[in-house]
Amino acid sequence: MTAIITNLHLKGFSTGKIYTGKMKKICVPGLNCYSCPGALGSCPIGSLQAVIGGIKYQFSFYMIGLLMLIGSLVGRFVCGWLCPFGLIQELIHKIPLPKLKVNKTFNKLKYLKYLILVIFVFLLPMFWVNIVGMGKPTFCEFICPAGTLEGGIPLVLLNKPLRAVIGFLYTWKIALLVITVILSIFIFRPFCRFICPLGAIYSLFNPISLYRLKIDSDKCTSCGICSRKCKMQVDVYKNPNSLECIRCGECISSCPQNAIEIVKPKLPLVKNSKNNLREVK
């Protein structure tokens, strides 16, 4: 639903032109390419790079503040429920072919997304600049398969002049997209697990966000059903607020003991007519 709402500029898919109206000044919470012909809002990672790589070396208070606000409210709930590219990977994963579990050695690649965040979103746009001092949006330009799928391919198909100038970089991006699609068939959300810098940011808020999970130790029998059900391979009963949890909720519905709960934010206490404390409603 979020993917549809944030890409309602349907006219762009027939004209091949990007929407540049006032709504483009607003960032959507998930990874949604600015250059997608249907996009009404901006991608937070693209916007972050644009400001960091700007000629004036400005600090993006708006973007950092927005990401911190969303992260502190819901953490990686955005990855599980609001990101269009996450949805695309899940749909591809439904193709009925054998599925692979990521082993412990290969799973260490989950730290790669933090490296990509630091190098391609912050350092390169900041320091790899042209003669007038402007940096490139290096993650978008050299890595992002979501941008290739949502923006690059539609624009090239719809614009003959663009087809005449595509070169190695476009081929490279297509290759990364093909690899991502193939991996998505066999591995659940490989881009979210290993590459996405936006997921890396939101993951840092998982343990402290208002929306988080709690294990009722009186009910939990450590049977491990929740961990086996988790497609992100999180040991839910040991670490319910793992940085890798995308808040899909499958562990909650799978627990036979109902031991996994969503933590409700505590409301301020006030005194009632009988001088007893109760939560504000």
Side-chain angles (χ1 to χ4, degrees):
M1 183 61 73
T2 310
I4 296 173
I5 293 173
T6 54
N7 291 283
L8 276 178
H9 182 244
L10 302 180
K11 183 181 175 183
F13 291 108
S14 60
T15 62
K17 293 183 179 179
I18 302 172
Y19 170 74
T20 56
K22 291 182 179 179
M23 291 184 67
K24 239 3 184 329
K25 295 179 180 179
I26 302 172
C27 283
V28 298
L31 207 66
N32 200 79
C33 184
Y34 181 96
S35 297
C36 174
L40 291 175
S42 295
C43 173
I45 289 297
S47 300
L48 193 56
Q49 293 170 91
V51 177
I52 292 173
I55 194 169
K56 295 180 180 178
Y57 297 101
Q58 292 177 330
F59 181 83
S60 180
F61 289 101
Y62 164 62
M63 283 313 311
I64 297 295
L66 180 66
L67 291 171
M68 290 181 67
L69 174 64
I70 296 172
S72 60
L73 289 175
V74 295
R76 291 194 76 179
F77 179 90
V78 175
C79 307
W81 294 95
L82 304 179
C83 180
F85 199 60
L87 170 66
I88 291 169
Q89 290 173 86
E90 286 207 24
L91 294 176
I92 295 171
H93 193 67
K94 291 183 182 297
I95 294 174
L97 286 174
K99 307 304 174 189
L100 300 176
K101 288 277 186 181
V102 179
N103 63 36
K104 286 186 178 178
T105 302
F106 195 62
N107 200 37
K108 290 179 181 175
L109 286 176
K110 66 185 179 184
Y111 299 112
L112 182 60
K113 58 180 174 286
Y114 301 101
L115 202 60
I116 289 173
L117 171 65
V118 173
I119 294 176
F120 284 87
V121 176
F122 287 101
L123 295 182
L124 286 178
M126 188 179 298
F127 296 112
W128 186 21
V129 297
N130 59 20
I131 56 174
V132 295
M134 291 189 67
K136 291 174 177 284
T138 46
F139 175 75
C140 298
E141 187 167 335
F142 298 109
I143 296 179
C144 187
T148 307
L149 180 66
E150 298 168 3
I153 292 176
L155 288 181
V156 167
L157 290 177
L158 294 167
N159 291 279
K160 189 175 180 180
L162 281 180
R163 291 200 293 275
V165 297
I166 58 174
F168 172 77
L169 183 58
Y170 187 76
T171 306
W172 163 255
K173 294 290 297 292
I174 290 290
L176 291 181
L177 174 61
V178 170
I179 292 171
T180 305
V181 168
I182 293 174
L183 287 176
S184 297
I185 296 172
F186 303 103
I187 300 173
F188 186 72
R189 289 187 177 233
F191 177 79
C192 304
R193 287 176 184 235
F194 308 127
I195 305 297
C196 183
L198 186 58
I201 293 173
Y202 289 143
S203 73
L204 301 177
F205 292 90
N206 259 7
I208 58 171
S209 63
L210 289 179
Y211 183 94
R212 61 185 190 276
L213 304 181
K214 183 180 75 172
I215 303 296
D216 188 332
S217 55
D218 293 330
K219 296 179 180 178
C220 180
T221 60
S222 303
C223 64
I225 290 177
C226 54
S227 300
R228 293 194 291 276
K229 189 72 176 178
C230 179
K231 293 176 181 172
M232 294 296 282
Q233 296 178 236
V234 172
D235 279 333
V236 182
Y237 68 101
K238 294 178 182 176
N239 184 12
N241 296 300
S242 162
L243 305 189
E244 301 307 308
C245 175
I246 58 170
R247 307 307 197 203
C248 69
E250 288 200 29
C251 58
I252 299 174
S253 58
S254 68
C255 179
Q257 308 299 327
N258 295 321
I260 306 172
E261 303 171 355
I262 298 172
V263 175
K264 296 178 181 177
K266 292 182 179 178
L267 300 173
L269 298 177
V270 295
K271 290 184 177 179
N272 59 19
S273 57
K274 297 180 180 178
N275 219 26
N276 295 322
L277 290 174
R278 63 172 179 80
E279 285 187 342
V280 174
K281 295 182 179 177

